[in-house]
Amino acid sequence: MSHLTSTDIAGRIEDLYGVPLADLETHAQDQPPGMLSALLGMHDDLAIAERSINVHRDHLARLVHPERQIGRHEVSHLLDGSRRLAEAVAVRDGQAKSVAAVLQSLARVPAPTPPPPIPSSLLSAPPLPARTAARNR
């Protein structure tokens, strides 16, 4: 199954807001919680899951190194490491799917267009008729 990485998600967030991720993170710190802070949080969770995958994968690679013997004691570490790796992959896939769905539902709003120019005929309206003083009775 193909998944989006945290780098892909960061690019999509930047495309959506038209600003680099670092600037968005700085901006979000001064704002009340909203869609931007939610997206940034989801991105962080995805990045953490990816780092966890790397840590557990590297740990398993060390345990099954060809020059290393696997004894009774190491089997429990292999099983535990495999379980942790599977959990990290499941978290990563869930995070990637959720944030991708949210991003897909959003679209960048085009910049507001300036109002059309007011025709000069409307700018120079004819003068109002002069008011005459009403006679007192």
Side-chain angles (χ1 to χ4, degrees):
M1 175 181 163
S2 173
H3 68 277
L4 294 174
T5 66
S6 59
T7 304
D8 297 330
I9 295 300
R12 288 188 179 192
I13 294 171
E14 289 174 344
D15 290 345
L16 180 66
Y17 286 90
V19 178
L21 196 66
D23 294 344
L24 289 171
E25 290 169 346
T26 301
H27 173 74
Q29 291 174 357
D30 302 329
Q31 302 298 316
M35 182 56 70
L36 176 58
S37 60
L39 288 171
L40 293 173
M42 294 171 84
H43 170 263
D44 287 345
D45 292 343
L46 179 58
I48 290 168
E50 289 173 340
R51 286 192 297 275
S52 182
I53 288 170
N54 292 336
V55 166
H56 295 301
R57 186 188 59 226
D58 293 346
H59 178 67
L60 283 173
R62 285 189 303 275
L63 288 174
V64 298
H65 191 273
E67 295 176 5
R68 187 178 169 133
Q69 288 201 337
I70 299 175
R72 184 177 276 190
H73 179 72
E74 286 79 16
V75 170
S76 65
H77 290 288
L78 282 170
L79 291 174
D80 183 57
S82 298
R83 179 187 58 80
R84 290 174 187 251
L85 177 60
E87 288 173 355
V89 168
V91 168
R92 187 264 330 263
D93 289 350
Q95 287 292 337
K97 185 175 181 179
S98 295
V99 72
V102 170
L103 284 169
Q104 186 176 4
S105 73
L106 301 173
R108 187 167 187 199
V109 178
T113 57
I118 299 172
S120 60
S121 61
L122 294 177
L123 290 176
S124 57
L128 295 174
R131 295 181 107 189
T132 57
R135 290 199 291 180
N136 288 340
R137 294 188 185 189

